[in-house]
Amino acid sequence: MLLRTILAATTAATVLLVPAAAQAAAAEPAAPSNTATVATAAQRAAAAAADPVIVVGGLSGISIAYEPIAARLRADGYRVSIFQLPNLGLGDIRESARALSTYVDQVRAATGAARVDLVGHSEGGLVSRWYVKYLGGAATVDQYVSLGSPQYGTYVANLVAFLGLGSCAGVIACQQMSIGSSFLADLNAGDDTPGPVRWATVRTWQDELVRPVDNALLADGATNVLVQAWCPLRVVGHLGLVLDGTTYTVVRQVLAGAPVRPNCFAV
């Protein structure tokens, strides 16, 4: 996505709705420099035969913003498409999930695939999760990866709601991403990770829009990756999660069903 902040009632809508600046990624020691950065021919062949991947954007996230991660996936052999949220994700997240459901059916029909993999950024992770949990997605989704998604809300949205006199400047999705919202109560009722889906989340300490940062993780058996737990010097912001090489190695490993071992040298 691009869940955008709002610093004041005026800047509120701006920072929540305008793409955040990409963060510079600092490299630090971890794996050999060439590990998990270049797919082999065998890996590309396996990816080509794997589930189609749908990159689900977030609030104000136009499709072009997700081309960097989509291009990486295509280069590694995956069949990839980008789902831009209706009305740029400003409306009801449940409605966006219904639109995603229709899109998944279209991708499955076009590719002949029984299941798809979802990579959701920010609000896109919530949209994807609602689809899986309440709209039959458990039967059509194989792998789920969220990047900086406020699974349990973010106090940035609460601040925006406060500055907007409780209305989040009229942005319904912002209201729903506020900690304690009725939407999140419904989304987080019961099992965080229902169905046979393989669930994974990626979060970063430098996420300026998801606060507290640990609200981006899931319980009930999900694989939760904190970038800096593996690569302490890696600097990755909210939008940076769709640009960062280390984060991408996690995404690729999850999609391949491989053990998660982030490559701190990846660019």
Side-chain angles (χ1 to χ4, degrees), residues 79-112:
R79 296 171 289 172
V80 186
S81 59
I82 299 171
F83 179 69
Q84 179 178 298
L85 298 185
N87 195 29
L88 291 181
L90 301 177
D92 191 329
I93 294 173
R94 291 165 292 204
E95 291 299 322
S96 293
R98 281 187 268 276
L100 174 61
S101 176
T102 300
Y103 186 78
V104 168
D105 289 344
Q106 292 170 350
V107 170
R108 291 172 59 226
T111 60

PDB file of all heavy atoms in Angstrom, residues 79-112:
ATOM      1  N   ARG A  79       4.489 -15.276 -12.434  1.00  0.00           N
ATOM      2  CA  ARG A  79       3.407 -14.597 -13.143  1.00  0.00           C
ATOM      3  C   ARG A  79       2.801 -13.600 -12.152  1.00  0.00           C
ATOM      4  O   ARG A  79       2.265 -13.997 -11.121  1.00  0.00           O
ATOM      5  CB  ARG A  79       2.346 -15.609 -13.592  1.00  0.00           C
ATOM      6  CG  ARG A  79       2.849 -16.624 -14.605  1.00  0.00           C
ATOM      7  CD  ARG A  79       1.823 -17.713 -14.845  1.00  0.00           C
ATOM      8  NE  ARG A  79       1.692 -18.594 -13.697  1.00  0.00           N
ATOM      9  CZ  ARG A  79       0.753 -19.546 -13.580  1.00  0.00           C
ATOM     10  NH1 ARG A  79      -0.128 -19.712 -14.560  1.00  0.00           N
ATOM     11  NH2 ARG A  79       0.701 -20.325 -12.522  1.00  0.00           N
ATOM     12  N   VAL A  80       2.894 -12.327 -12.470  1.00  0.00           N
ATOM     13  CA  VAL A  80       2.565 -11.287 -11.490  1.00  0.00           C
ATOM     14  C   VAL A  80       1.565 -10.292 -12.059  1.00  0.00           C
ATOM     15  O   VAL A  80       1.657  -9.900 -13.228  1.00  0.00           O
ATOM     16  CB  VAL A  80       3.839 -10.512 -11.061  1.00  0.00           C
ATOM     17  CG1 VAL A  80       3.515  -9.531  -9.940  1.00  0.00           C
ATOM     18  CG2 VAL A  80       4.924 -11.468 -10.618  1.00  0.00           C
ATOM     19  N   SER A  81       0.640  -9.878 -11.219  1.00  0.00           N
ATOM     20  CA  SER A  81      -0.239  -8.754 -11.555  1.00  0.00           C
ATOM     21  C   SER A  81      -0.366  -7.876 -10.328  1.00  0.00           C
ATOM     22  O   SER A  81      -0.047  -8.288  -9.206  1.00  0.00           O
ATOM     23  CB  SER A  81      -1.614  -9.229 -12.025  1.00  0.00           C
ATOM     24  OG  SER A  81      -2.236 -10.007 -11.029  1.00  0.00           O
ATOM     25  N   ILE A  82      -0.798  -6.649 -10.545  1.00  0.00           N
ATOM     26  CA  ILE A  82      -0.933  -5.681  -9.449  1.00  0.00           C
ATOM     27  C   ILE A  82      -2.400  -5.311  -9.312  1.00  0.00           C
ATOM     28  O   ILE A  82      -3.068  -4.983 -10.300  1.00  0.00           O
ATOM     29  CB  ILE A  82      -0.096  -4.413  -9.723  1.00  0.00           C
ATOM     30  CG1 ILE A  82       1.385  -4.778  -9.840  1.00  0.00           C
ATOM     31  CG2 ILE A  82      -0.311  -3.369  -8.625  1.00  0.00           C
ATOM     32  CD1 ILE A  82       2.259  -3.628 -10.330  1.00  0.00           C
ATOM     33  N   PHE A  83      -2.902  -5.383  -8.085  1.00  0.00           N
ATOM     34  CA  PHE A  83      -4.276  -4.983  -7.814  1.00  0.00           C
ATOM     35  C   PHE A  83      -4.268  -3.635  -7.106  1.00  0.00           C
ATOM     36  O   PHE A  83      -3.816  -3.522  -5.975  1.00  0.00           O
ATOM     37  CB  PHE A  83      -4.990  -6.022  -6.946  1.00  0.00           C
ATOM     38  CG  PHE A  83      -6.408  -5.650  -6.607  1.00  0.00           C
ATOM     39  CD1 PHE A  83      -7.395  -5.631  -7.578  1.00  0.00           C
ATOM     40  CD2 PHE A  83      -6.756  -5.300  -5.302  1.00  0.00           C
ATOM     41  CE1 PHE A  83      -8.706  -5.286  -7.269  1.00  0.00           C
ATOM     42  CE2 PHE A  83      -8.057  -4.955  -4.984  1.00  0.00           C
ATOM     43  CZ  PHE A  83      -9.045  -4.953  -5.974  1.00  0.00           C
ATOM     44  N   GLN A  84      -4.734  -2.616  -7.803  1.00  0.00           N
ATOM     45  CA  GLN A  84      -4.865  -1.280  -7.215  1.00  0.00           C
ATOM     46  C   GLN A  84      -6.215  -1.205  -6.509  1.00  0.00           C
ATOM     47  O   GLN A  84      -7.246  -1.535  -7.095  1.00  0.00           O
ATOM     48  CB  GLN A  84      -4.777  -0.221  -8.308  1.00  0.00           C
ATOM     49  CG  GLN A  84      -4.931   1.206  -7.816  1.00  0.00           C
ATOM     50  CD  GLN A  84      -4.772   2.206  -8.954  1.00  0.00           C
ATOM     51  OE1 GLN A  84      -3.722   2.287  -9.580  1.00  0.00           O
ATOM     52  NE2 GLN A  84      -5.824   2.955  -9.242  1.00  0.00           N
ATOM     53  N   LEU A  85      -6.214  -0.790  -5.261  1.00  0.00           N
ATOM     54  CA  LEU A  85      -7.462  -0.756  -4.501  1.00  0.00           C
ATOM     55  C   LEU A  85      -8.464   0.210  -5.134  1.00  0.00           C
ATOM     56  O   LEU A  85      -8.087   1.282  -5.613  1.00  0.00           O
ATOM     57  CB  LEU A  85      -7.195  -0.330  -3.050  1.00  0.00           C
ATOM     58  CG  LEU A  85      -6.300  -1.243  -2.212  1.00  0.00           C
ATOM     59  CD1 LEU A  85      -6.235  -0.741  -0.779  1.00  0.00           C
ATOM     60  CD2 LEU A  85      -6.780  -2.691  -2.261  1.00  0.00           C
ATOM     61  N   PRO A  86      -9.756  -0.151  -5.136  1.00  0.00           N
ATOM     62  CA  PRO A  86     -10.777   0.753  -5.662  1.00  0.00           C
ATOM     63  C   PRO A  86     -10.734   2.088  -4.914  1.00  0.00           C
ATOM     64  O   PRO A  86     -10.544   2.116  -3.699  1.00  0.00           O
ATOM     65  CB  PRO A  86     -12.089   0.015  -5.366  1.00  0.00           C
ATOM     66  CG  PRO A  86     -11.700  -1.407  -5.168  1.00  0.00           C
ATOM     67  CD  PRO A  86     -10.316  -1.399  -4.605  1.00  0.00           C
ATOM     68  N   ASN A  87     -10.898   3.171  -5.660  1.00  0.00           N
ATOM     69  CA  ASN A  87     -10.888   4.505  -5.051  1.00  0.00           C
ATOM     70  C   ASN A  87      -9.610   4.730  -4.247  1.00  0.00           C
ATOM     71  O   ASN A  87      -9.605   5.437  -3.242  1.00  0.00           O
ATOM     72  CB  ASN A  87     -12.123   4.703  -4.166  1.00  0.00           C
ATOM     73  CG  ASN A  87     -12.363   6.163  -3.811  1.00  0.00           C
ATOM     74  OD1 ASN A  87     -12.005   7.070  -4.561  1.00  0.00           O
ATOM     75  ND2 ASN A  87     -12.944   6.402  -2.645  1.00  0.00           N
ATOM     76  N   LEU A  88      -8.530   4.084  -4.725  1.00  0.00           N
ATOM     77  CA  LEU A  88      -7.215   4.192  -4.062  1.00  0.00           C
ATOM     78  C   LEU A  88      -7.260   3.810  -2.584  1.00  0.00           C
ATOM     79  O   LEU A  88      -6.456   4.275  -1.778  1.00  0.00           O
ATOM     80  CB  LEU A  88      -6.635   5.603  -4.231  1.00  0.00           C
ATOM     81  CG  LEU A  88      -6.220   5.968  -5.654  1.00  0.00           C
ATOM     82  CD1 LEU A  88      -5.637   7.375  -5.698  1.00  0.00           C
ATOM     83  CD2 LEU A  88      -5.213   4.961  -6.205  1.00  0.00           C
ATOM     84  N   GLY A  89      -8.215   2.962  -2.230  1.00  0.00           N
ATOM     85  CA  GLY A  89      -8.259   2.451  -0.867  1.00  0.00           C
ATOM     86  C   GLY A  89      -8.826   3.398   0.159  1.00  0.00           C
ATOM     87  O   GLY A  89      -8.693   3.158   1.368  1.00  0.00           O
ATOM     88  N   LEU A  90      -9.469   4.472  -0.284  1.00  0.00           N
ATOM     89  CA  LEU A  90     -10.003   5.447   0.671  1.00  0.00           C
ATOM     90  C   LEU A  90     -11.282   4.955   1.344  1.00  0.00           C
ATOM     91  O   LEU A  90     -11.630   5.391   2.438  1.00  0.00           O
ATOM     92  CB  LEU A  90     -10.293   6.777  -0.034  1.00  0.00           C
ATOM     93  CG  LEU A  90      -9.108   7.461  -0.721  1.00  0.00           C
ATOM     94  CD1 LEU A  90      -9.576   8.719  -1.439  1.00  0.00           C
ATOM     95  CD2 LEU A  90      -8.023   7.783   0.276  1.00  0.00           C
ATOM     96  N   GLY A  91     -11.982   4.029   0.663  1.00  0.00           N
ATOM     97  CA  GLY A  91     -13.277   3.595   1.159  1.00  0.00           C
ATOM     98  C   GLY A  91     -13.193   2.423   2.114  1.00  0.00           C
ATOM     99  O   GLY A  91     -12.126   2.099   2.659  1.00  0.00           O
ATOM    100  N   ASP A  92     -14.323   1.770   2.306  1.00  0.00           N
ATOM    101  CA  ASP A  92     -14.448   0.647   3.228  1.00  0.00           C
ATOM    102  C   ASP A  92     -13.519  -0.488   2.797  1.00  0.00           C
ATOM    103  O   ASP A  92     -13.566  -0.954   1.653  1.00  0.00           O
ATOM    104  CB  ASP A  92     -15.910   0.180   3.220  1.00  0.00           C
ATOM    105  CG  ASP A  92     -16.221  -0.810   4.336  1.00  0.00           C
ATOM    106  OD1 ASP A  92     -15.332  -1.576   4.736  1.00  0.00           O
ATOM    107  OD2 ASP A  92     -17.385  -0.812   4.794  1.00  0.00           O
ATOM    108  N   ILE A  93     -12.692  -0.957   3.716  1.00  0.00           N
ATOM    109  CA  ILE A  93     -11.755  -2.037   3.415  1.00  0.00           C
ATOM    110  C   ILE A  93     -12.501  -3.302   3.016  1.00  0.00           C
ATOM    111  O   ILE A  93     -12.041  -4.073   2.166  1.00  0.00           O
ATOM    112  CB  ILE A  93     -10.821  -2.286   4.620  1.00  0.00           C
ATOM    113  CG1 ILE A  93      -9.911  -1.068   4.837  1.00  0.00           C
ATOM    114  CG2 ILE A  93      -9.984  -3.545   4.426  1.00  0.00           C
ATOM    115  CD1 ILE A  93      -9.060  -1.128   6.088  1.00  0.00           C
ATOM    116  N   ARG A  94     -13.670  -3.519   3.581  1.00  0.00           N
ATOM    117  CA  ARG A  94     -14.459  -4.709   3.235  1.00  0.00           C
ATOM    118  C   ARG A  94     -14.904  -4.665   1.774  1.00  0.00           C
ATOM    119  O   ARG A  94     -14.943  -5.701   1.102  1.00  0.00           O
ATOM    120  CB  ARG A  94     -15.665  -4.826   4.177  1.00  0.00           C
ATOM    121  CG  ARG A  94     -15.261  -5.179   5.616  1.00  0.00           C
ATOM    122  CD  ARG A  94     -16.373  -4.929   6.590  1.00  0.00           C
ATOM    123  NE  ARG A  94     -16.651  -3.498   6.714  1.00  0.00           N
ATOM    124  CZ  ARG A  94     -17.229  -2.948   7.781  1.00  0.00           C
ATOM    125  NH1 ARG A  94     -17.583  -3.707   8.800  1.00  0.00           N
ATOM    126  NH2 ARG A  94     -17.461  -1.650   7.824  1.00  0.00           N
ATOM    127  N   GLU A  95     -15.226  -3.471   1.275  1.00  0.00           N
ATOM    128  CA  GLU A  95     -15.593  -3.342  -0.132  1.00  0.00           C
ATOM    129  C   GLU A  95     -14.384  -3.594  -1.028  1.00  0.00           C
ATOM    130  O   GLU A  95     -14.499  -4.216  -2.094  1.00  0.00           O
ATOM    131  CB  GLU A  95     -16.176  -1.945  -0.398  1.00  0.00           C
ATOM    132  CG  GLU A  95     -17.530  -1.705   0.226  1.00  0.00           C
ATOM    133  CD  GLU A  95     -18.581  -2.669  -0.305  1.00  0.00           C
ATOM    134  OE1 GLU A  95     -18.559  -2.983  -1.518  1.00  0.00           O
ATOM    135  OE2 GLU A  95     -19.421  -3.128   0.495  1.00  0.00           O
ATOM    136  N   SER A  96     -13.230  -3.109  -0.600  1.00  0.00           N
ATOM    137  CA  SER A  96     -12.005  -3.382  -1.366  1.00  0.00           C
ATOM    138  C   SER A  96     -11.729  -4.882  -1.413  1.00  0.00           C
ATOM    139  O   SER A  96     -11.268  -5.413  -2.431  1.00  0.00           O
ATOM    140  CB  SER A  96     -10.815  -2.651  -0.738  1.00  0.00           C
ATOM    141  OG  SER A  96     -10.950  -1.253  -0.865  1.00  0.00           O
ATOM    142  N   ALA A  97     -12.017  -5.580  -0.308  1.00  0.00           N
ATOM    143  CA  ALA A  97     -11.809  -7.029  -0.272  1.00  0.00           C
ATOM    144  C   ALA A  97     -12.748  -7.737  -1.235  1.00  0.00           C
ATOM    145  O   ALA A  97     -12.373  -8.725  -1.882  1.00  0.00           O
ATOM    146  CB  ALA A  97     -12.004  -7.549   1.152  1.00  0.00           C
ATOM    147  N   ARG A  98     -13.978  -7.237  -1.367  1.00  0.00           N
ATOM    148  CA  ARG A  98     -14.913  -7.840  -2.328  1.00  0.00           C
ATOM    149  C   ARG A  98     -14.411  -7.641  -3.760  1.00  0.00           C
ATOM    150  O   ARG A  98     -14.522  -8.528  -4.598  1.00  0.00           O
ATOM    151  CB  ARG A  98     -16.315  -7.260  -2.129  1.00  0.00           C
ATOM    152  CG  ARG A  98     -17.056  -7.885  -0.950  1.00  0.00           C
ATOM    153  CD  ARG A  98     -18.494  -7.419  -0.885  1.00  0.00           C
ATOM    154  NE  ARG A  98     -18.645  -6.249  -0.056  1.00  0.00           N
ATOM    155  CZ  ARG A  98     -18.789  -6.272   1.267  1.00  0.00           C
ATOM    156  NH1 ARG A  98     -18.787  -7.439   1.908  1.00  0.00           N
ATOM    157  NH2 ARG A  98     -18.917  -5.164   1.961  1.00  0.00           N
ATOM    158  N   ALA A  99     -13.850  -6.455  -4.015  1.00  0.00           N
ATOM    159  CA  ALA A  99     -13.285  -6.212  -5.348  1.00  0.00           C
ATOM    160  C   ALA A  99     -12.081  -7.119  -5.595  1.00  0.00           C
ATOM    161  O   ALA A  99     -11.879  -7.620  -6.710  1.00  0.00           O
ATOM    162  CB  ALA A  99     -12.888  -4.742  -5.482  1.00  0.00           C
ATOM    163  N   LEU A 100     -11.267  -7.345  -4.556  1.00  0.00           N
ATOM    164  CA  LEU A 100     -10.123  -8.255  -4.684  1.00  0.00           C
ATOM    165  C   LEU A 100     -10.606  -9.671  -4.992  1.00  0.00           C
ATOM    166  O   LEU A 100     -10.002 -10.368  -5.808  1.00  0.00           O
ATOM    167  CB  LEU A 100      -9.285  -8.243  -3.406  1.00  0.00           C
ATOM    168  CG  LEU A 100      -8.139  -9.260  -3.346  1.00  0.00           C
ATOM    169  CD1 LEU A 100      -7.119  -9.017  -4.461  1.00  0.00           C
ATOM    170  CD2 LEU A 100      -7.448  -9.229  -1.977  1.00  0.00           C
ATOM    171  N   SER A 101     -11.689 -10.094  -4.355  1.00  0.00           N
ATOM    172  CA  SER A 101     -12.241 -11.414  -4.602  1.00  0.00           C
ATOM    173  C   SER A 101     -12.573 -11.596  -6.089  1.00  0.00           C
ATOM    174  O   SER A 101     -12.234 -12.621  -6.704  1.00  0.00           O
ATOM    175  CB  SER A 101     -13.499 -11.628  -3.756  1.00  0.00           C
ATOM    176  OG  SER A 101     -14.100 -12.869  -4.041  1.00  0.00           O
ATOM    177  N   THR A 102     -13.205 -10.586  -6.671  1.00  0.00           N
ATOM    178  CA  THR A 102     -13.530 -10.636  -8.096  1.00  0.00           C
ATOM    179  C   THR A 102     -12.267 -10.700  -8.935  1.00  0.00           C
ATOM    180  O   THR A 102     -12.174 -11.455  -9.914  1.00  0.00           O
ATOM    181  CB  THR A 102     -14.366  -9.401  -8.491  1.00  0.00           C
ATOM    182  OG1 THR A 102     -15.575  -9.396  -7.729  1.00  0.00           O
ATOM    183  CG2 THR A 102     -14.684  -9.395  -9.974  1.00  0.00           C
ATOM    184  N   TYR A 103     -11.264  -9.900  -8.545  1.00  0.00           N
ATOM    185  CA  TYR A 103     -10.007  -9.867  -9.301  1.00  0.00           C
ATOM    186  C   TYR A 103      -9.291 -11.216  -9.236  1.00  0.00           C
ATOM    187  O   TYR A 103      -8.751 -11.692 -10.240  1.00  0.00           O
ATOM    188  CB  TYR A 103      -9.114  -8.760  -8.754  1.00  0.00           C
ATOM    189  CG  TYR A 103      -7.847  -8.541  -9.548  1.00  0.00           C
ATOM    190  CD1 TYR A 103      -7.884  -7.838 -10.740  1.00  0.00           C
ATOM    191  CD2 TYR A 103      -6.630  -9.047  -9.113  1.00  0.00           C
ATOM    192  CE1 TYR A 103      -6.729  -7.633 -11.490  1.00  0.00           C
ATOM    193  CE2 TYR A 103      -5.471  -8.855  -9.842  1.00  0.00           C
ATOM    194  CZ  TYR A 103      -5.529  -8.145 -11.037  1.00  0.00           C
ATOM    195  OH  TYR A 103      -4.387  -7.969 -11.775  1.00  0.00           O
ATOM    196  N   VAL A 104      -9.284 -11.836  -8.057  1.00  0.00           N
ATOM    197  CA  VAL A 104      -8.647 -13.149  -7.917  1.00  0.00           C
ATOM    198  C   VAL A 104      -9.316 -14.148  -8.856  1.00  0.00           C
ATOM    199  O   VAL A 104      -8.639 -14.943  -9.532  1.00  0.00           O
ATOM    200  CB  VAL A 104      -8.724 -13.641  -6.453  1.00  0.00           C
ATOM    201  CG1 VAL A 104      -8.329 -15.122  -6.365  1.00  0.00           C
ATOM    202  CG2 VAL A 104      -7.813 -12.811  -5.563  1.00  0.00           C
ATOM    203  N   ASP A 105     -10.634 -14.115  -8.924  1.00  0.00           N
ATOM    204  CA  ASP A 105     -11.344 -15.028  -9.834  1.00  0.00           C
ATOM    205  C   ASP A 105     -10.942 -14.780 -11.286  1.00  0.00           C
ATOM    206  O   ASP A 105     -10.792 -15.724 -12.077  1.00  0.00           O
ATOM    207  CB  ASP A 105     -12.856 -14.853  -9.673  1.00  0.00           C
ATOM    208  CG  ASP A 105     -13.372 -15.404  -8.349  1.00  0.00           C
ATOM    209  OD1 ASP A 105     -12.638 -16.178  -7.703  1.00  0.00           O
ATOM    210  OD2 ASP A 105     -14.508 -15.057  -7.962  1.00  0.00           O
ATOM    211  N   GLN A 106     -10.735 -13.522 -11.634  1.00  0.00           N
ATOM    212  CA  GLN A 106     -10.329 -13.190 -13.000  1.00  0.00           C
ATOM    213  C   GLN A 106      -8.925 -13.727 -13.294  1.00  0.00           C
ATOM    214  O   GLN A 106      -8.672 -14.284 -14.379  1.00  0.00           O
ATOM    215  CB  GLN A 106     -10.365 -11.673 -13.206  1.00  0.00           C
ATOM    216  CG  GLN A 106     -11.771 -11.089 -13.185  1.00  0.00           C
ATOM    217  CD  GLN A 106     -11.771  -9.562 -13.143  1.00  0.00           C
ATOM    218  OE1 GLN A 106     -10.723  -8.925 -12.948  1.00  0.00           O
ATOM    219  NE2 GLN A 106     -12.947  -8.961 -13.325  1.00  0.00           N
ATOM    220  N   VAL A 107      -8.025 -13.571 -12.336  1.00  0.00           N
ATOM    221  CA  VAL A 107      -6.651 -14.064 -12.514  1.00  0.00           C
ATOM    222  C   VAL A 107      -6.654 -15.584 -12.631  1.00  0.00           C
ATOM    223  O   VAL A 107      -5.966 -16.167 -13.485  1.00  0.00           O
ATOM    224  CB  VAL A 107      -5.757 -13.603 -11.351  1.00  0.00           C
ATOM    225  CG1 VAL A 107      -4.403 -14.316 -11.394  1.00  0.00           C
ATOM    226  CG2 VAL A 107      -5.554 -12.094 -11.401  1.00  0.00           C
ATOM    227  N   ARG A 108      -7.423 -16.246 -11.803  1.00  0.00           N
ATOM    228  CA  ARG A 108      -7.492 -17.705 -11.851  1.00  0.00           C
ATOM    229  C   ARG A 108      -8.055 -18.182 -13.187  1.00  0.00           C
ATOM    230  O   ARG A 108      -7.577 -19.152 -13.772  1.00  0.00           O
ATOM    231  CB  ARG A 108      -8.325 -18.228 -10.682  1.00  0.00           C
ATOM    232  CG  ARG A 108      -7.643 -18.046  -9.315  1.00  0.00           C
ATOM    233  CD  ARG A 108      -8.576 -18.397  -8.167  1.00  0.00           C
ATOM    234  NE  ARG A 108      -9.032 -19.771  -8.269  1.00  0.00           N
ATOM    235  CZ  ARG A 108     -10.303 -20.160  -8.114  1.00  0.00           C
ATOM    236  NH1 ARG A 108     -11.254 -19.260  -7.882  1.00  0.00           N
ATOM    237  NH2 ARG A 108     -10.622 -21.432  -8.193  1.00  0.00           N
ATOM    238  N   ALA A 109      -9.090 -17.480 -13.667  1.00  0.00           N
ATOM    239  CA  ALA A 109      -9.682 -17.863 -14.954  1.00  0.00           C
ATOM    240  C   ALA A 109      -8.699 -17.647 -16.104  1.00  0.00           C
ATOM    241  O   ALA A 109      -8.602 -18.470 -17.026  1.00  0.00           O
ATOM    242  CB  ALA A 109     -10.955 -17.055 -15.192  1.00  0.00           C
ATOM    243  N   ALA A 110      -7.945 -16.551 -16.033  1.00  0.00           N
ATOM    244  CA  ALA A 110      -7.011 -16.226 -17.116  1.00  0.00           C
ATOM    245  C   ALA A 110      -5.797 -17.145 -17.136  1.00  0.00           C
ATOM    246  O   ALA A 110      -5.235 -17.426 -18.194  1.00  0.00           O
ATOM    247  CB  ALA A 110      -6.561 -14.776 -16.982  1.00  0.00           C
ATOM    248  N   THR A 111      -5.390 -17.619 -15.972  1.00  0.00           N
ATOM    249  CA  THR A 111      -4.171 -18.422 -15.882  1.00  0.00           C
ATOM    250  C   THR A 111      -4.442 -19.918 -15.752  1.00  0.00           C
ATOM    251  O   THR A 111      -3.530 -20.729 -15.922  1.00  0.00           O
ATOM    252  CB  THR A 111      -3.325 -17.991 -14.668  1.00  0.00           C
ATOM    253  OG1 THR A 111      -4.101 -18.182 -13.468  1.00  0.00           O
ATOM    254  CG2 THR A 111      -2.915 -16.530 -14.779  1.00  0.00           C
ATOM    255  N   GLY A 112      -5.666 -20.271 -15.409  1.00  0.00           N
ATOM    256  CA  GLY A 112      -5.983 -21.679 -15.176  1.00  0.00           C
ATOM    257  C   GLY A 112      -5.504 -22.179 -13.831  1.00  0.00           C
ATOM    258  O   GLY A 112      -5.550 -23.386 -13.549  1.00  0.00           O
TER     259      GLY A 112
END
